[in-house]
DNA sequence: GCGACAG
DNA sequence: ATCTTGTCGC
């Protein structure tokens, strides 16, 4: 307790972590290893996964780790699992993996045991891959440890190796006009560490894509773009939704209802109606309505035909954001222009 | 006027 | 990450 009270982990721990990163980094494969990765239409790719860990405000220990698997190219949820965990490591920039990866590994392992047929062929990871202080971000870390192809998808530029979110960078962003536009992130070291990608026509803010494991940067960018209905790629976005709903039901059973965001409390209109939720170990699958309370529990769940998902493609006015509605768009935006009101 | 550091 | 406000940039 009170480990990270003041200055985070001791220098000793950090250097241990650095050594581990250096050791594992040797196993990173930064090129395409699968046939589908080189195919123009990604034919052969059938399942894309997303993972993330979400936190409970006011609680530095409890968190929720989730894994979802989507069909490709339909992008429908075919598997989702989440579990409450107790974090052991604090967040330290450059060492995100030591905080999150152990739990993500467990989820992958669980899937491997229970539903090997649903194992994703690639994972989109919230965070960076080789675009990292030591070239070994969480996407590489998880990739090496699972031996799954992984892509780092970050929402903010990690300013390393001379990369800076400065005026020049912002100007380059401004030049990204339509979905799919991108520019390389060239570090002072002379290496291309990743790409800034405009993932959606209606979103100005780029994603920062970098290689995690067993995939080229080009394929990573192309795949990410293929997974974007909105700014955030569906696998990652679905994981966020799962985490959010999970948190809300968690809180109805617990103590932090008052800490929930108003968006969630209000019974968000963007919530997939009646979407099934999965919970923690030892529980049952539930049908949870927006804002509805549910027993705290959960278990692996296979939601193959999530026809409910279709609602995501329907006119569900999600975020009555700001007076930025310049465009009469025919598609529902859940999070495009903004940093997502979700999580 | 703040603080730079993925999540 | 979370919460929140509001629309840049030094």
């Amino acid at each position: 307790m009170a480990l990270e009270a003041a200055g985070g982990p001791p220098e000793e721990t950090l250097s241990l972590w650095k050594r581990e990163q250096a050791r594992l980094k040797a196993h990173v494969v930064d090129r395409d290893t699968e046939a589908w990765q080189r195919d123009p239409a990604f034919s052969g790719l059938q399942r894309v996964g997303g993972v993330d860990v979400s936190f409970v405000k006011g609680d530095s220990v409890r968190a929720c780790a989730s894994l979802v698997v989507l069909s490709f190219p339909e992008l429908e949820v075919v598997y989702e699992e989440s579990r409450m965990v107790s974090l052991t490591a604090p967040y330290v920039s450059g060492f995100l993996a030591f905080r999150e990866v152990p739990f993500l590994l467990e989820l992958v392992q669980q899937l491997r045991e229970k539903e090997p047929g649903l194992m994703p062929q690639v994972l989109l990871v919230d965070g960076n891959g080789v675009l990292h202080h030591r070239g070994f971000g969480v996407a590489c870390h998880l990739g090496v440890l699972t031996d799954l192809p992984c892509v780092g998808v970050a929402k903010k530029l990690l300013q390393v190796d001379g990369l800076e979110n400065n005026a020049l960078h912002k100007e380059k962003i401004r030049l990204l006009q339509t979905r799919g536009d991108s520019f390389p992130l060239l570090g002072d070291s002379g290496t291309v560490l990743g790409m800034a990608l405009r993932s959606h026509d209606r979103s100005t803010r780029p994603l920062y894509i970098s290689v995690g494991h067993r995939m080229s940067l080009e394929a990573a960018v192309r795949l990410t773009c293929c997974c974007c209905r909105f700014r955030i790629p569906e696998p990652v976005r679905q994981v966020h939704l799962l985490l959010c709903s999970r948190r809300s039901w968690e809180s109805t059973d617990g103590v932090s209802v008052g800490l929930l965001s108003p968006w969630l409390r209000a019974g968000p209109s963007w919530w997939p109606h009646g979407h099934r939720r999965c919970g923690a170990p030892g529980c049952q699958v539930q049908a949870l309505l927006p804002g509805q309370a549910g027993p705290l529990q959960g278990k692996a769940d296979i939601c193959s035909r999530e026809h409910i998902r279709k609602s995501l493609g329907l006119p569900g006015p999600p975020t009555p954001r700001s007076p930025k509605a310049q465009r009469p768009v025919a598609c529902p935006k859940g999070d495009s222009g903004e940093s997502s009101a979700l999580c």
Side-chain angles (χ1 to χ4, degrees):
Chain A
M1 49 185 72
L3 289 174
E4 61 276 14
E11 204 55 48
E12 203 176 322
T13 302
L14 291 183
S15 83
L16 205 66
W17 283 354
K18 285 180 193 170
R19 211 169 327 156
E20 181 70 351
Q21 288 178 327
R23 185 177 72 85
L24 295 175
K25 180 172 161 38
H27 294 89
V28 170
V29 174
D30 60 357
R31 27 176 202 83
D32 294 323
T33 63
E34 310 301 304
W36 60 262
Q37 294 166 339
R38 293 199 166 277
D39 186 280
F42 289 124
S43 66
L45 175 61
Q46 284 154 340
R47 293 171 310 280
V48 182
V51 291
D52 195 24
V53 175
S54 174
F55 312 87
V56 180
K57 197 209 166 182
D59 190 331
S60 59
V61 173
R62 302 256 298 160
C64 185
S66 297
L67 161 68
V68 304
V69 181
L70 308 200
S71 62
F72 189 92
E74 299 82 8
L75 302 180
E76 286 169 355
V77 177
V78 296
Y79 177 92
E80 57 182 23
E81 167 71 2
S82 73
R83 57 191 300 178
M84 297 303 299
V85 299
S86 293
L87 300 173
T88 56
Y91 170 67
V92 183
S93 178
F95 301 96
L96 177 62
F98 294 92
R99 180 169 169 83
E100 301 191 345
V101 152
F103 308 107
L104 302 179
L105 266 177
E106 283 182 11
L107 289 173
V108 171
Q109 190 51 38
Q110 181 175 336
L111 171 56
R112 194 162 268 149
E113 288 165 4
K114 297 190 173 180
E115 293 290 338
L118 292 180
M119 184 62 59
Q121 292 158 286
V122 55
L123 281 177
L124 301 192
V125 182
D126 217 325
N128 292 294
V130 299
L131 170 44
H132 179 268
H133 309 64
R134 290 162 294 281
F136 194 73
V138 63
C140 299
H141 205 127
L142 186 62
V144 168
L145 293 188
T146 60
D147 200 33
L148 285 173
C150 282
V151 177
V153 181
K155 295 179 285 296
K156 290 185 297 198
L157 176 65
L158 183 57
Q159 306 188 150
V160 295
D161 194 20
L163 293 177
E164 216 179 337
N165 186 19
N166 54 22
L168 175 58
H169 182 79
K170 287 172 180 164
E171 177 57 21
K172 289 180 184 170
I173 289 176
R174 224 175 49 75
L175 295 177
L176 302 178
Q177 287 300 311
T178 62
R179 102 182 296 200
D181 287 354
S182 65
F183 64 84
L185 303 166
L186 177 62
D188 285 342
S189 60
T191 320
V192 174
L193 298 173
M195 299 278 276
L197 167 72
R198 177 155 184 163
S199 62
H200 195 280
D201 282 339
R202 298 193 62 259
S203 178
T204 292
R205 303 174 47 192
L207 294 176
Y208 296 96
I209 309 303
S210 58
V211 170
H213 187 48
R214 291 178 56 179
M215 177 129 96
S216 67
L217 180 57
E218 295 66 35
V221 168
R222 203 159 53 86
L223 174 65
T224 302
C225 214
C226 286
C227 289
C228 285
R229 295 234 263 243
F230 309 107
R231 176 182 177 240
I232 305 298
E234 281 303 296
V236 176
R237 187 167 161 270
Q238 291 299 338
V239 129
H240 286 348
L241 289 169
L242 177 58
L243 289 164
C244 286
S245 68
R246 176 48 194 274
R247 268 213 316 280
S248 73
W249 105 359
E250 192 78 17
S251 56
T252 59
D253 210 19
V255 276
S256 51
V257 175
L259 297 176
L260 281 176
S261 88
W263 290 90
L264 289 177
R265 261 199 318 259
S269 54
W270 45 264
W271 244 8
H273 187 63
H275 178 53
R276 299 165 74 204
R277 297 302 171 188
C278 315
C283 323
Q284 303 169 353
V285 178
Q286 294 253 327
L288 210 58
L289 296 174
Q292 178 181 341
L296 161 56
Q297 39 197 235
K299 186 169 178 1
D301 179 25
I302 298 84
C303 342
S304 294
R305 296 300 179 197
E306 278 290 348
H307 42 287
I308 301 137
R309 284 299 165 203
K310 308 245 165 75
S311 66
L312 289 175
L314 293 180
T319 49
R321 261 346 235 183
S322 44
K324 194 183 178 180
Q326 315 270 21
R327 286 177 175 282
V329 184
C331 74
K333 54 269 182 260
D335 58 40
S336 12
E338 301 297 320
S339 57
S340 98
L342 311 186
C343 302

